[in-house]
Amino acid sequence: MSSESLQPTPALCRRTLLAGLGAAGIAAALTACGGSDDSSSGSSDTSSGSDASSGSAGGAALAKTTDIPEGGGKVFADEGVVVTQPAAGEFKAFSTVCPHQKQRVNSVDNGLITCPAHGSQFSVTDGGVKKGPATSGLTAAKITVTGDSITLA
């Protein structure tokens, strides 16, 4: 017998098969993560606010300006953003992630954005803390207002 016949070729084939399956699994996972609508932004991409009344819309359409009540706002959970209208024609946006324990805010009432987890409340004007336990405000998000349309920037 030669030394070639003593080497465990089935194990080598098994390793090759497992490596191939692992690579295919990683490729499938990356495709699933990156295959959705790239124009929408998650909370990690929400770094600065905008009061823009014009500009090119590079993101996903969120709402019509008439959908956002003056002095209030609307939570867009799937997009991870809350859009407010503190004064007539002035629109702001913030991440829905509460800085206290990373829960999601879910309502806007009486000029306050509320996190249901521990009751933190934030201003519709600037996202600042109005009631703790949160000690810092909501992160501003970029939106663009063009005509009567509000989009993620």
Side-chain angles (χ1 to χ4, degrees):
M1 280 191 148
S2 71
S3 62
E4 266 184 60
S5 63
L6 296 177
Q7 293 183 3
T9 55
L12 181 59
C13 291
R14 197 171 341 159
R15 284 186 198 142
T16 303
L17 177 64
L18 291 175
L21 288 174
I26 290 170
L30 290 174
T31 300
C33 290
S36 65
D37 182 9
D38 289 337
S39 64
S40 65
S41 296
S43 59
S44 63
D45 290 336
T46 56
S47 57
S48 65
S50 173
D51 293 327
S53 59
S54 66
S56 63
L62 289 175
K64 299 282 185 195
T65 55
T66 55
D67 295 337
I68 311 301
E70 186 177 338
K74 185 173 179 182
V75 176
F76 297 90
D78 290 343
E79 292 82 2
V81 68
V82 57
V83 177
T84 65
Q85 185 178 188
E90 177 186 5
F91 296 90
K92 303 277 187 161
F94 308 97
S95 168
T96 57
V97 178
C98 176
H100 175 238
Q101 288 188 344
K102 309 304 180 216
Q103 300 296 315
R104 301 284 179 155
V105 299
N106 68 351
S107 66
V108 183
D109 292 305
N110 299 320
L112 297 171
I113 304 165
T114 302
C115 178
H118 299 104
S120 291
Q121 294 183 319
F122 307 91
S123 168
V124 297
T125 303
D126 61 7
V129 177
K130 289 295 190 177
K131 177 184 168 195
T135 57
S136 61
L138 296 174
T139 302
K142 289 185 178 184
I143 58 170
T144 301
V145 180
T146 304
D148 68 345
S149 181
I150 301 171
T151 58
L152 288 173

